[in-house]
Amino acid sequence: MQNNISLHVVANYNELSEKAAELFANAVKLNPTGVYGFATGGTPEGMYEKLTKMSAAKELDMTQITAFNLDEYVPISPSSPQSYAYFMAKNLFDATGVPSQNRNIPKGDAPCPHEESAAYEKKIAACGGIRLQILGIGTNGHIGFNEPSDTFQGQTSYVELAEETILANSRYFDNQDDVPRHAISMGMQTIMMAETLLLLASGETKAEAIRGALVGPITPKVPASVLQLHRNVIVIADKAAAKFL
Ligand code: PGA
């Protein structure tokens, strides 16, 4: 593995969440007014729960950070319980006091998703870029909603979800037909511009994706493989997710 990637293999999901929360909290302590990138999904939920507890215990102050999320479904209203805006409010932002004007998530109900994508990209740049970006990984090697493809998606864009992703995410909807088919996602270039990337992976279902991401050939068929070219990637994986490394 390349030495720009620092891999931490932990025993289980709880340890992963703890280590990720500790690392993130330390970054915020060093730079309480910094710009941080967030991910949704099952993987960071434990980390967010721990950050919420730290904040309640006054060990962490997130009230001055600026947040940018990786992605949002289209079409979806931010008030819909399935939206990522709702997920972030419920799992982290409300309880830790991240001010609503500092919460940036692409608008899933914007009249023009292409314009919304371009505006989102500009806003990240105007805020000086992302200091630390949290990432999950899909079983197909996607990052955000950058799905396997013939080319890498550059900047924040309006994208189509892969069938595998629709299936994986249908657990959050009443049925598979309700999962939106599109999203606005930061592109791989946007993600690669963050100063530090924190990639989290838990469980055997992620083992092949993690192998492809960290030691496989760099290819848009495994979007996460481009992370091998980033100068500072921290990976926290549990034993099950790291089993092919
Ligand atoms: P998960 O999703 O954390 O729910 O497994 C990760 C992803 O699809 O990027």
Side-chain angles (χ1 to χ4, degrees), residues 40-44 136-138 142 144 169 171-172 206:
T40 50
T43 312
I137 187 169
H142 79 188
N169 291 10
R171 67 190 197 274
Y172 295 111
K206 300 293 175 69

Side-chain angles (χ1 to χ4, degrees), residues 43 63 115:
T43 312
T63 61
E115 277 175 23

Side-chain angles (χ1 to χ4, degrees), residues 12 19 23 31 35 43-44 48 56 74 98 101 144 152 182 216 227:
N12 52 42
K19 192 160 186 61
L23 200 144
N31 189 350
V35 180
T43 312
Y48 294 165
V74 176
V98 175
Q101 69 275 15
F152 285 111
H182 292 85
L227 302 186

